[in-house]
Amino acid sequence: QVQLVESGGGSVQPGGSLRLSCAASGIIYRSNTMGWYRQAPGKQRELVAGITSGGSTNYADSVKGRFTISRDKNTVYLQMNSLKPEDTAIYYCNLRQIMSADSWGQGTQVTVSS
């Protein structure tokens, strides 16, 4: 069983920055992928960025050049710069590994508004 604890959400003006963190604990295999998803009101949950245990990353086109995902062992970070109102959503941390169902954090609200 895996637990994911997120922190770092909040409110910021357009153009501002926020940094999200997610610490994973429990049964975690050496090979895994951690990532951030988001869900805005009335929309489906979408992948924002992911990073493998080997350090390979991928990003949604909408955040490329503005967001950076990184990890330190079983903690994953999302540095969000140049935030836009359309980035407003609940952000969820995710851990994916073999022989296990996906694990999700509780979600953290990010609001970008002037």
Side-chain angles (χ1 to χ4, degrees):
Q1 195 168 2
V2 174
Q3 294 80 41
L4 300 175
V5 179
E6 302 154 348
S7 61
S11 296
V12 66
Q13 292 186 338
S17 298
L18 285 173
R19 189 186 193 218
L20 306 183
S21 300
C22 172
S25 61
I27 299 174
I28 301 171
Y29 300 110
R30 183 175 298 181
S31 178
N32 61 72
T33 298
M34 296 189 75
W36 291 94
Y37 288 71
R38 67 186 181 188
Q39 188 166 19
K43 295 188 176 181
Q44 290 188 329
R45 191 174 296 189
E46 62 176 359
L47 174 68
V48 176
I51 184 167
T52 69
S53 47
S56 297
T57 59
N58 66 294
Y59 296 91
D61 288 343
S62 59
V63 307
K64 284 180 180 176
R66 300 188 297 121
F67 291 10
T68 302
I69 191 169
S70 61
R71 66 185 291 173
D72 179 11
K73 296 182 180 178
N74 294 326
T75 298
V76 65
Y77 306 95
L78 186 67
Q79 178 66 43
M80 304 184 294
N81 298 328
S82 302
L83 283 160
K84 304 176 181 180
E86 51 263 44
D87 295 317
T88 295
I90 300 174
Y91 284 69
Y92 297 91
C93 178
N94 170 268
L95 173 68
R96 181 165 296 169
Q97 55 187 356
I98 59 171
M99 300 183 67
S100 297
D102 277 14
S103 299
W104 293 93
Q106 78 279 8
T108 185
Q109 177 71 45
V110 171
T111 301
V112 185
S113 174
S114 55

